[in-house]
Amino acid sequence: MKCKRCRGKAVVQVRQHNAAFCRGCFVFFFQRQVQRAIERERMFTLDDAVLVAVSGGKDSLALWDVLIELGYRTAGVHLALGIGGYSRRSTEKTEAFACRRGVRLISVRLDEEDAAIPTLSAFTNRPACAACGTSKRHHLDRVAFEQGFSVLATGHNLDDEAARLLGNVLHWQVQHLAKQQPVLASTHERFARKVKPLFRLSEYEAAVYAFVRGIDYIIEECPNSVGATQLVYKDVLNRLEAVMPGTKLAFVNDFLRTGRAAFATDGAGLPQTCAGCGMPTFASLCSYCSLLREVESKRARFVVPAAGTAQ
Ligand code: SF4
Ligand SMILES: [Zn+2]
Ligand SMILES: [Zn+2]
């Protein structure tokens, strides 16, 4: 097997592109794919301040590495979610990456008191991932706004996008289909533009890139991901991909090119301001502040009176 670019010995096979590369040429290929996605989809330019959401996993750290290598102005933001040892190890990997590269990392501690995901989930009876999604969206938007970043980049890869698309189609989530795209324009002065520069690169490619570049990332999955439907969708898509290489890429590309327009809407009108945190919302409180209020009120109901104060 020969490298498609330099004709040397290939060590990485990229079936969806019917190509193979040596280590150096694979790094070049991966970085060029990211750069093309950024330029073609008009995600951002070298002048923009880009906030990269980094979990400590391969995708987000690979993305940050590429953006640093390509010369973009970036800082990372990491949310310490309070999911036990998994979160602690994710934070360690992220901090070590930032330290080694000498880049700015904004760390948000959510592992104390009411903001920790297990607390949010237990007190509100919501699945951990639902509470986590609400919390992550809120804090990433908030940090981007407060720290003056116009662009928020996440490490969602092709497998994530294909699995999300499959889920949205299976349940005909038309509002979600309307919003499924690699660039989400800002709809409010407090919302950054959201971009996914890895949306055409597979999980496998991101893992190989991280390995070849010597990125030390957290390999274990979040304990709450066990049994997630997203993983079932990924498994189904992987089986299709094994028989028909390129299926995932075509599924996502063709949706963006020809399908999505059918679901596009004029938006949900003008948002108001959350009474709790000041971020945009379509209700008096944003969904994150509502979660926190619910935790507070349930906590208050369960407070045990101190000895001698009972009536
Ligand atoms: S698996 Fe669920 S709880 Fe864990 S990080 Fe992902 S969204 Fe959050
Ligand atoms: Zn080569
Ligand atoms: Zn709020």
Side-chain angles (χ1 to χ4, degrees):
M1 207 171 43
K2 285 204 166 110
C3 171
K4 186 181 176 182
R5 188 160 168 260
C6 75
R7 310 308 296 162
K9 185 173 182 297
V11 291
V12 187
Q13 194 176 7
V14 186
R15 288 185 71 206
Q16 71 186 20
H17 290 291
N18 197 20
F21 299 100
C22 68
R23 285 168 80 104
C25 291
F26 177 75
V27 169
F28 176 85
F29 160 81
F30 190 91
Q31 293 181 350
R32 199 178 54 173
Q33 291 288 314
V34 176
Q35 181 138 37
R36 277 190 182 160
I38 292 168
E39 289 172 358
R40 283 189 187 159
E41 304 295 332
R42 300 192 178 161
M43 294 184 176
F44 48 87
T45 68
L46 290 168
D47 294 329
D48 289 305
V50 182
L51 186 63
V52 188
V54 274
S55 64
K58 63 184 183 318
D59 305 300
S60 55
L61 290 182
L63 170 62
W64 200 8
D65 181 85
V66 174
L67 298 185
I68 294 167
E69 291 296 305
L70 294 176
Y72 288 103
R73 291 171 53 209
T74 63
V77 56
H78 174 74
L79 308 178
L81 299 168
I83 308 173
Y86 165 76
S87 285
R88 272 196 302 281
R89 289 185 285 280
S90 306
T91 302
E92 280 165 19
K93 300 281 186 196
T94 309
E95 287 176 347
F97 177 94
C99 187
R100 263 199 306 276
R101 301 286 199 285
V103 285
R104 180 180 173 211
L105 175 68
I106 302 164
S107 281
V108 181
R109 299 291 303 262
L110 302 175
D111 47 356
E112 285 154 9
E113 303 185 5
D114 292 352
I117 301 306
T119 314
L120 280 182
S121 162
F123 276 84
T124 62
N125 281 331
R126 282 180 179 74
C129 293
C132 185
T134 301
S135 176
K136 282 199 266 199
R137 276 190 295 277
H138 168 80
H139 288 288
L140 294 177
D141 281 332
R142 179 184 63 75
V143 172
F145 168 67
E146 287 175 0
Q147 303 285 328
F149 290 89
S150 56
V151 182
L152 176 65
T154 55
H156 293 98
N157 59 39
L158 176 64
D159 294 60
D160 298 323
E161 290 307 293
R164 187 169 158 219
L165 180 56
L166 181 59
N168 285 339
V169 168
L170 286 176
H171 300 285
W172 290 114
Q173 300 272 17
V174 288
Q175 287 181 344
H176 294 175
L177 285 166
K179 285 200 269 180
Q180 181 159 357
Q181 49 191 326
V183 182
L184 215 48
S186 167
T187 52
H188 189 280
E189 59 186 17
R190 290 187 175 222
F191 281 151
R193 188 185 320 140
K194 298 191 177 83
V195 300
K196 301 172 184 172
L198 301 187
F199 79 105
R200 282 205 187 97
L201 287 153
S202 71
E203 204 164 298
Y204 167 75
E205 289 164 288
V208 173
Y209 181 83
F211 174 74
V212 173
R213 291 281 299 156
I215 296 171
D216 184 18
Y217 61 89
I218 182 154
I219 293 170
E220 72 187 89
E221 298 288 345
C222 171
N224 295 321
S225 68
V226 177
T229 30
Q230 196 78 352
L231 296 183
V232 179
Y233 298 150
K234 281 188 177 178
D235 181 48
V236 169
L237 287 161
N238 282 339
R239 279 190 265 160
L240 285 172
E241 185 78 23
V243 185
M244 297 177 284
T247 297
K248 286 184 243 184
L249 190 58
F251 185 39
V252 170
N253 268 348
D254 292 349
F255 166 73
L256 293 173
R257 209 169 31 220
T258 57
R260 203 191 68 82
F263 302 99
T265 60
D266 292 336
L270 282 180
Q272 50 194 83
T273 302
C274 172
C277 67
M279 291 299 282
T281 175
F282 289 97
S284 55
L285 275 184
C286 74
S287 37
Y288 182 68
C289 288
S290 303
L291 269 185
L292 285 185
R293 287 277 166 92
E294 209 176 320
V295 175
E296 272 169 34
S297 70
K298 292 212 176 130
R299 251 197 213 292
R301 260 189 269 158
F302 292 120
V303 166
V304 181
T309 58
Q311 306 276 310

